[in-house]
Each structure stands twice: as structure tokens, then as C-alpha cells.
Amino acid sequence: MSKRNFQKELEHLIEGMGDRVPSLLLHSCCAPCSSYTLEYLSRHFNVTVLYFNPNIMRMQEYGLRLSEQERFINEFNEKCDAAPVGEEREGHNPVCLIAGRYEPKDFVDAVKGYEKGPEGGERCRLCYRLRLEETARIAKEKGFDYFCTTLSISPLKRADWINEIGESLSETYGVKWLVSDFKKREGYKRSIELSAEYGLYRQNFCGCEYSRREAVEN
């Protein structure tokens, strides 16, 4: 069985949409990861960002990332509105934000037994599912056409796991999953450029206390 090219699947889907602009609930882990993702998707979808990350176990870190997410969306919308005709940002749809509930215990319970596992292992897969399931639930509740996540933009995140989980939840909740691998087409590189342009805080660990410890030790 050949390996799927998730980016090409996304491009094919967008080509087939024509002039239709579906609604999309996009889970975001942080402002830097959402930067290129929103630049790309807001041309084709009415995007609402869901900031839902109970894996961020320190309140100060959680608040900082949420604040940066809100600031980036506000400044991104303002720049899109102010861009002259013909500029790169022309054609973007306004982006909205939902701040999800913050219950770190949900994450602790979800990854119980895998606390000492390596970054990128089963603990991370369980964390992806926790955040994506909440996204799918809210997408169904609020009537979005699609749901997705920014997670695949990271070179450290497995797009096959993310899409496998998303497609499974799509069947469970009856909301279409937007297949994706945002690190492709130099998406990760563009996210770094946009982070510098907007002066975004870029953390050096994924979010949970276990990944923070690993980052400190290395």
C-alpha cells in the first residue's frame, strides 16, 4: 500500500470546492503553528480557531500561549483588511477564536501510564486524540462543515496518526475531517517566517510537563 500524500489530497479537495467557502473549526496548539496554517486555509474556508490545550500543565504558560493566539488572530485580520488589492493577503476570510475549557486533569487522565514515554510516542498519540475529540464535538455542536488541527505543521508530529485519528472521529461525530499535512510545501518554514514577522512567542517544548522536562534535559 502506497503512502498517502495528505497535502495533495487537501489540494484536490480545495480545487473541487469551486466558489463555495465552507466553515472550518481549526484546533490550534499555539500561535506560531497557526500562522501559516491560517494564512493558507483562510483563503478557502471561514475559519474559527479552537484553542483547546489541557496538555499545557502550567497556567502561566497556558495563558501566555492563549494571549499570543488571540493577538496573532487580531493582527492577522487587521493586516488582511488593510492589504491593498493584489497583495498576497487579498482574499482571506476573517478568522474567529474560541477559547476552550482548561482542565489539565483531562490530559493527565488521558495519558495515564505513559508519563515516562518518549516524546512522539503513545503519550502524544493519546494527547492528539484528546484535543481532536473535543474539536470534533464542538464542530458538531456548532454546525461546522469541517474540523482540523494545526498539529501536523510540526516536523515532530506524525501526520499519519493525526489524520487517522481525525478520520475516525469524523465517523463518530458526523463532521467532515479536513485531511492535511501542513509541514509540506515549506509550511513549517513559512510558520517560522511569520512568527518573526509578528514577533510571536515560540516555546521550546510541546506543552506538557513531560515534554518540558525532556527539553530541559536535552
Side-chain angles (χ1 to χ4, degrees), residues 158-193:
R158 287 186 53 174
D160 57 340
W161 283 4
I162 293 165
N163 284 285
E164 175 186 305
I165 293 167
E167 289 172 339
S168 173
L169 291 170
S170 176
E171 294 182 6
T172 301
Y173 286 88
V175 182
K176 287 180 282 189
W177 165 252
L178 191 69
V179 64
S180 55
D181 188 358
F182 295 116
K183 69 178 70 66
K184 301 296 185 180
R185 308 290 191 199
E186 298 195 324
Y188 178 67
K189 177 183 176 182
R190 179 61 179 156
S191 75
I192 295 174
E193 294 171 351

Side-chain angles (χ1 to χ4, degrees), residues 81-132:
D81 289 342
V85 174
E87 289 285 331
E88 182 181 355
R89 292 187 178 86
E90 182 189 6
H92 290 266
N93 298 295
V95 178
C96 300
L97 173 66
I98 295 174
R101 58 189 176 84
Y102 180 50
E103 298 289 345
K105 186 177 183 299
D106 291 348
F107 168 74
V108 173
D109 290 343
V111 303
K112 189 173 183 179
Y114 294 93
E115 295 88 344
K116 295 182 180 180
E119 185 72 6
E122 185 63 21
R123 185 184 69 234
C124 293
R125 187 203 284 261
L126 293 168
C127 182
Y128 301 162
R129 184 173 185 89
L130 172 66
R131 290 184 279 174
L132 285 176

Side-chain angles (χ1 to χ4, degrees), residues 31-92:
C33 287
S34 74
S35 58
Y36 163 74
T37 312
L38 288 176
E39 182 182 66
Y40 177 65
L41 291 176
S42 65
R43 293 188 179 99
H44 310 290
F45 298 87
N46 287 317
V47 183
T48 295
V49 169
L50 172 64
Y51 184 84
F52 173 71
N53 298 291
N55 59 307
I56 303 174
M57 299 164 71
R58 296 191 174 194
M59 176 62 81
Q60 183 178 7
E61 180 73 18
Y62 178 87
L64 176 57
R65 295 193 196 191
L66 176 56
S67 176
E68 283 292 87
Q69 182 69 81
E70 184 174 17
R71 179 175 72 84
F72 171 70
I73 289 174
N74 288 338
E75 293 184 10
F76 178 78
N77 283 335
E78 288 172 3
K79 286 191 176 183
C80 290
D81 289 342
V85 174
E87 289 285 331
E88 182 181 355
R89 292 187 178 86
E90 182 189 6
H92 290 266

Side-chain angles (χ1 to χ4, degrees), residues 126-165:
L126 293 168
C127 182
Y128 301 162
R129 184 173 185 89
L130 172 66
R131 290 184 279 174
L132 285 176
E133 183 151 20
E134 179 72 354
T135 308
R137 185 189 68 78
I138 293 176
K140 179 178 178 62
E141 177 185 288
K142 295 186 177 296
F144 283 87
D145 296 313
Y146 290 89
F147 73 104
C148 190
T149 180
T150 63
L151 287 169
S152 69
I153 198 168
S154 170
L156 302 177
K157 302 290 189 295
R158 287 186 53 174
D160 57 340
W161 283 4
I162 293 165
N163 284 285
E164 175 186 305
I165 293 167

